[in-house]
Amino acid sequence: MIILKNLRSFVVTDSDSIRTSLRKIESNKKKMVYVVDASNRLLGAFADGDFRRWIITQSKVDLDKPVVDVYNRDCFSMPYESTPADITAALNKSNLSIPLVNERGNLVALADRGARFYEINNRRISDEDPAYLIAEIGNNHQGDIVLAKRLISLAAKAGVDSVKFQMRDMESLYGNSNLDSHDLGSQYTMDLLSRFQLKDEDLYEAFDYCYEVGVTPLCTPWDVVSLQKLEAYGIPGYKVASADFTNFELLEEISKTGKVMICSTGMSTEDEIRSTIEFLERRKAQFILLHCNSTYPTPFKDINLKYIERIKKLSQTLVGYSGHERGWAVATASVCLGAKVIEKHFTVDKTLEGNDHKVSLLPEELSLMVRDIRALEQALGTDKPRSLTQGEMLNREVLAKSLYASVDIKLGEPINAEMIEIRSPGNGLQPNKLSELIGKKARRNIRLGDAFFESDIKGGVIKKARYNFDRPYGIPVRYHDYRELINGVNLDFVEIHLSYSDMKLDISQYLDKESKIGFAVHAPELFENDHLLDLSSYDDAYREQSITHLESVIKHTLELSTYFPLTEKPVIVVNAGGWNAEGFWPKSEVREKYSIVERSLARVNAEGVRLAIQTMPPFPWHFGGQSYHSLFVEADEIVEFCEKTGVGICLDVSHSMMACNYAEVSIYDFVEKVAPYVIHLHIVDAKGVDGEGVQIGKGDVDFGRIGEILKRKAPGVQFIPEIWQGHKNRGEGFWYALSFLENKL
């Protein structure tokens, strides 16, 4: 059972619209919101099922109507003072959360039987979210606000979610204790504290600075007086030190704040851990437990990292790890065992006075820990059935083997084993399909050396002479397959996908003069000497070379115009750059990158053509592997660039679907914004954040909704179905996609 007290994502007022309520349902992942009045009195609930029942009765759907018109007033609730046992029993009878109300009927909390999740300063912490990373500054600032701010800046640059400090009221903790009367350890600690604490006003200044640089401040209150001061400031969450894990007086007061409390369990026995868990559950506290060994530094043999799994079973809550060992390998490994909060000490100099410095990470080490944890989280993946990644599909084409015809086979002729050979590349049927292919009658005339495809076993899509659209449509082609693909179909245009070697060919060998269709060009990304086009590069020489390459593409395109006289100003689709092999460009640099692209384009003579900058995915596949892309990914940035420069875009639906999936925003809102600036369309599906170019209808895109937007905001704009490997088997993937889209676009 989880008790949620931060209800922002779960509550709407009776004056909020249905649209607003649906957005909250989408974001909170619980399929429900609760409706309250202006006094926070619980009125009822609004769930997915309520919306479905309402919408089927409407002749015209108005999502801006108030939710009070459609919500369910029959909403089960329980008193906030109910015992954990009673609440658990009620939850076991329901798949829903249970609102908890006070004596006045005000909604004060939610009880939920699902996986726990919390929020600190709008950052979700759950088993589904990335681990929450805390840089523990503690007193490593040596009592110096300047050093404290430097540490905060460095931690923010490293990419942590939070920095943590400590606050003590020395009078409350130690009274009039005489240093001379204590043992050596206590004397040492009290001496450091007396010299290295920040003044309250300096600590508040440090908290303010955290917000300025984009990290969340947390703090450990060592006493009730300090807690009261931190509450007055408005600290968004608390860390409980191992030393106070059995201090029920302090835990009681922190639990009353309703804020998340992250509790270290160092120096506690299992019986004490159980006792504190029971204490916190009775008070419906929002708590996360950190496995911890309070030895500085902790010997590796004493860490017992697997105890994380036991703590999770004991508490049924989120767990994490607070490490005092040297290095960051153990903290990184804890993620594999389910740690969702990681705390490590942080310093600029391990030789400074104080025990914490010796077990702290330096700035570059903290950055590496963040990098390693984020990489590991991606690598962990899921336990769902295995599917091929984009990179594997690319390599399978090159390295795997397929079934090929070893002789000419006529239409209707039975296929036997002697007609088939297994060789590379892996362009067609995998060898494990051999037995299914043998005995089939050839569904086409198959030439020696042709690959076999799934359609040779089960039949395929029939290529039609004409497809019906209200906008020009075409397909992507290469020079070598141009004539075969356009044969027998009435296309409006083709998009010629160029490689840098294609630009050296004698195009008269591949194209016919005075073609009756139009054309567009997709500029190469890769040029000689592994040069990836990048008009945003900081390297002047590299950028100049990119401009030169783009001008060569324009020259080649103008030469093509003599073969396609129907196209007055052909579109050239360009990937303008903004990639980085190491990670996304910081937001502080993205605007400058756009300015560099603008200046680069101003240098290019584009007379006679229309440049269309392609919208990009977050994780594009370049030659050499997956990269990170920061430009032409977000809708507002694209709109700003287009309005400033007058340059149009090629909306690649697959790329932008992946970008929206990654950013957790609506692709349909994205298309609404960018559609007025679209001069060319790549219509194609996508899965997740890097599943590019999948067949239309096999991914995440609702093409009916996309089509409706494009009809309103980008009428008449030409498109191609840019299906990955759609050219195989004489364009089978393209014909399937065009048939699918006929009623959508």
Side-chain angles (χ1 to χ4, degrees):
M1 177 185 70
I2 175 175
I3 302 296
L4 300 170
K5 295 183 180 178
N6 183 349
L7 304 181
R8 179 178 54 84
S9 300
F10 303 93
V11 174
V12 295
T13 67
D14 51 1
S15 61
D16 281 331
S17 68
I18 297 171
R19 187 189 307 276
T20 297
S21 304
L22 289 172
R23 284 174 176 161
K24 284 207 173 182
I25 288 174
E26 180 71 19
S27 66
N28 69 31
K29 303 177 182 178
K30 291 295 182 182
K31 299 185 178 181
M32 178 177 287
V33 289
Y34 293 94
V35 184
V36 299
D37 63 16
S39 301
N40 201 42
R41 185 170 59 88
L42 179 66
L43 301 178
F46 178 61
D48 278 350
D50 300 315
F51 177 68
R52 288 194 298 271
R53 284 187 288 274
W54 172 76
I55 199 171
I56 61 177
T57 66
Q58 306 300 301
S59 57
K60 182 179 180 181
V61 175
D62 181 4
L63 296 181
D64 293 319
K65 293 182 67 173
V67 70
V68 73
D69 290 352
V70 299
Y71 78 100
N72 183 359
R73 291 165 174 79
D74 185 17
C75 176
F76 176 74
S77 64
M78 294 182 71
Y80 179 74
E81 299 302 325
S82 301
T83 66
D86 288 343
I87 296 173
T88 299
L91 284 171
N92 288 337
K93 298 177 182 178
S94 170
N95 290 323
L96 306 175
S97 54
I98 297 176
L100 304 179
V101 298
N102 62 19
E103 64 278 4
R104 296 184 299 276
N106 293 336
L107 179 61
V108 293
L110 289 176
D112 194 278
R113 68 194 298 247
R116 288 181 183 255
F117 67 94
Y118 301 112
E119 284 188 342
I120 298 178
N121 193 28
N122 297 327
R123 166 65 154 88
R124 256 179 69 110
I125 308 174
S126 76
D127 283 330
E128 290 76 39
D129 291 289
Y132 190 79
L133 307 183
I134 304 172
E136 158 71 306
I137 293 175
N139 284 336
N140 281 359
H141 46 64
Q142 309 301 96
D144 181 356
I145 184 60
V146 175
L147 178 54
K149 288 185 175 181
R150 183 185 172 199
L151 285 163
I152 292 167
S153 294
L154 290 167
K157 186 176 180 180
V160 299
D161 297 288
S162 171
V163 295
K164 188 184 79 65
F165 293 88
Q166 300 176 12
M167 190 182 208
R168 293 172 174 84
D169 182 79
M170 297 298 287
E171 180 66 25
S172 298
L173 283 173
Y174 298 107
N176 296 317
S177 295
N178 187 338
L179 278 176
D180 296 335
S181 65
H182 291 274
D183 60 31
L184 293 177
S186 296
Q187 282 184 343
Y188 176 67
T189 300
M190 291 172 66
D191 176 52
L192 292 178
L193 293 175
S194 66
R195 290 189 289 122
F196 291 156
Q197 279 218 115
L198 283 174
K199 297 176 183 177
D200 290 350
E201 56 269 25
D202 287 342
L203 196 55
Y204 302 148
E205 184 178 339
F207 296 160
D208 291 342
Y209 187 68
C210 288
Y211 290 116
E212 289 180 29
V213 299
V215 293
T216 297
L218 296 179
C219 195
T220 296
W222 282 77
D223 51 82
V224 174
V225 173
S226 296
L227 174 64
Q228 292 167 346
K229 293 177 183 178
L230 293 169
E231 272 297 283
Y233 171 83
I235 204 77
Y238 291 103
K239 170 71 197 307
V240 176
S242 292
D244 280 314
F245 190 64
T246 57
N247 181 355
F248 286 0
E249 178 188 32
L250 181 60
L251 296 179
E252 173 95 40
E253 294 304 313
I254 296 176
S255 69
K256 288 178 182 178
T257 70
K259 295 175 181 175
V260 177
M261 47 200 300
I262 301 170
C263 306
S264 285
T265 59
M267 303 186 293
S268 292
T269 67
E270 183 161 310
D271 285 344
E272 289 168 337
I273 292 172
R274 290 177 183 271
S275 176
T276 297
I277 290 171
E278 292 172 3
F279 177 87
L280 294 173
E281 286 182 338
R282 286 197 301 272
R283 281 144 187 83
K284 301 179 179 64
Q286 299 190 86
F287 65 95
I288 299 170
L289 299 185
L290 305 187
H291 174 49
C292 178
N293 184 296
S294 299
T295 310
Y296 295 73
T298 308
F300 291 120
K301 68 179 181 61
D302 293 341
I303 291 172
N304 193 21
L305 201 58
K306 283 192 174 182
Y307 196 71
I308 287 175
E309 297 174 322
R310 184 161 180 83
I311 287 181
K312 191 161 192 175
K313 291 177 182 177
L314 291 173
S315 65
Q316 296 297 303
T317 187
L318 296 175
V319 297
Y321 178 68
S322 178
H324 302 124
E325 72 289 338
R326 291 186 174 94
W328 65 94
V330 174
T332 303
S334 72
V335 174
C336 294
L337 296 176
K340 302 308 298 185
V341 175
I342 307 293
E343 179 187 51
K344 284 289 287 184
H345 288 262
F346 178 51
T347 187
V348 292
D349 185 349
K350 296 185 182 184
T351 67
L352 290 172
E353 187 179 2
N355 279 338
D356 287 355
H357 292 286
K358 297 176 180 60
V359 298
S360 296
L361 299 180
L362 293 170
E364 59 271 23
E365 294 174 325
L366 183 66
S367 295
L368 288 171
M369 185 190 79
V370 174
R371 183 203 66 182
D372 289 352
I373 287 174
R374 296 305 183 221
L376 177 60
E377 287 172 330
Q378 292 185 55
L380 282 172
T382 71
D383 60 356
K384 295 178 181 178
R386 193 183 195 282
S387 58
L388 294 183
T389 65
Q390 188 74 13
E392 284 184 311
M393 287 190 287
L394 291 169
N395 282 329
R396 179 160 154 164
E397 290 290 317
V398 177
L399 302 175
K401 296 179 174 63
S402 287
L403 303 179
Y404 289 86
S406 58
V407 296
D408 290 334
I409 306 173
K410 294 180 180 179
L411 175 68
E413 187 176 355
I415 300 171
N416 59 50
E418 287 70 31
M419 298 174 173
I420 306 168
E421 63 180 357
I422 299 173
R423 61 178 177 83
S424 290
N427 289 326
L429 277 177
Q430 291 284 291
N432 63 352
K433 297 285 187 177
L434 178 63
S435 61
E436 296 180 49
L437 181 61
I438 292 173
K440 297 292 183 184
K441 290 184 178 180
R443 299 174 183 270
R444 58 189 171 100
N445 289 316
I446 303 171
R447 295 168 298 189
L448 167 67
D450 282 354
F452 289 100
F453 298 96
E454 193 71 30
S455 58
D456 291 311
I457 297 175
K458 299 179 180 179
V461 177
I462 303 300
K463 180 180 182 179
K464 298 196 299 187
R466 179 75 194 178
Y467 297 86
N468 296 310
F469 293 98
D470 294 332
R471 63 179 73 241
Y473 73 94
I475 59 170
V477 298
R478 297 285 306 281
Y479 286 144
H480 66 82
D481 59 17
Y482 167 74
R483 287 193 175 105
E484 180 181 36
L485 288 176
I486 69 167
N487 183 45
V489 60
N490 190 6
L491 299 170
D492 295 312
F493 76 104
V494 291
E495 180 180 306
I496 300 173
H497 282 216
L498 292 176
S499 68
Y500 68 84
S501 58
D502 287 343
M503 294 179 4
K504 302 174 183 177
L505 297 173
D506 178 3
I507 55 179
S508 66
Q509 301 297 310
Y510 301 94
L511 305 179
D512 301 314
K513 288 282 188 178
E514 303 293 319
S515 173
K516 301 302 181 184
I517 61 176
F519 84 109
V521 164
H522 195 310
E525 297 176 24
L526 181 73
F527 292 85
E528 294 95 336
N529 301 315
D530 288 343
H531 184 100
L532 283 169
L533 191 77
D534 189 359
L535 301 177
S536 76
S537 175
Y538 288 135
D539 185 321
D540 292 342
Y542 194 97
R543 189 173 65 256
E544 286 297 321
Q545 189 63 52
S546 292
I547 292 171
T548 299
H549 284 315
L550 179 56
E551 288 176 332
S552 70
V553 175
I554 294 172
K555 180 181 177 182
H556 188 84
T557 301
L558 293 175
E559 292 172 3
L560 283 169
S561 294
T562 62
Y563 293 84
F564 299 94
L566 293 182
T567 301
E568 183 178 347
K569 291 186 73 172
V571 167
I572 301 178
V573 178
V574 179
N575 291 348
W579 46 265
N580 186 355
E582 302 301 324
F584 295 110
W585 290 107
K587 282 295 183 184
S588 59
E589 297 189 43
V590 167
R591 184 171 292 275
E592 174 60 18
K593 284 277 182 180
Y594 275 112
S595 296
I596 296 173
V597 174
E598 181 184 354
R599 295 196 295 270
S600 297
L601 290 174
R603 297 267 316 283
V604 174
N605 181 4
E607 186 176 354
V609 301
R610 293 186 295 164
L611 298 181
I613 307 298
Q614 187 169 212
T615 63
M616 296 302 294
F619 306 106
W621 283 92
H622 294 303
F623 292 89
Q626 191 181 67
S627 185
Y628 301 82
H629 217 288
S630 300
L631 301 189
F632 302 99
V633 173
E634 296 185 7
D636 291 338
E637 293 174 357
I638 293 169
V639 169
E640 182 180 353
F641 181 86
C642 291
E643 290 185 343
K644 187 176 181 181
T645 64
V647 175
I649 62 167
C650 167
L651 170 60
D652 187 297
V653 175
S654 179
H655 290 176
S656 296
M657 181 75 253
M658 292 184 288
C660 291
N661 283 341
Y662 179 72
E664 297 184 347
V665 298
S666 167
I667 179 64
Y668 312 106
D669 291 343
F670 180 100
V671 175
E672 286 275 0
K673 290 179 180 179
V674 305
Y677 309 94
V678 173
I679 62 173
H680 191 78
L681 286 161
H682 286 170
I683 303 296
V684 60
D685 218 332
K687 285 188 73 67
V689 299
D690 62 358
E692 182 174 352
V694 299
Q695 181 56 266
I696 287 173
K698 309 296 184 181
D700 300 330
V701 180
D702 181 338
F703 287 96
R705 290 183 67 180
I706 292 287
E708 187 274 328
I709 298 169
L710 293 176
K711 286 176 183 177
R712 287 189 289 106
K713 294 205 166 183
V717 175
Q718 63 190 23
F719 84 94
I720 64 164
E722 199 187 29
I723 311 304
W724 189 71
Q725 298 294 351
H727 64 280
K728 283 185 176 182
N729 197 15
R730 299 164 297 172
E732 181 180 30
F734 301 143
W735 316 132
Y736 174 91
L738 289 171
S739 295
F740 184 98
L741 290 168
E742 277 188 295
N743 297 321
K744 305 288 193 303
L745 300 180

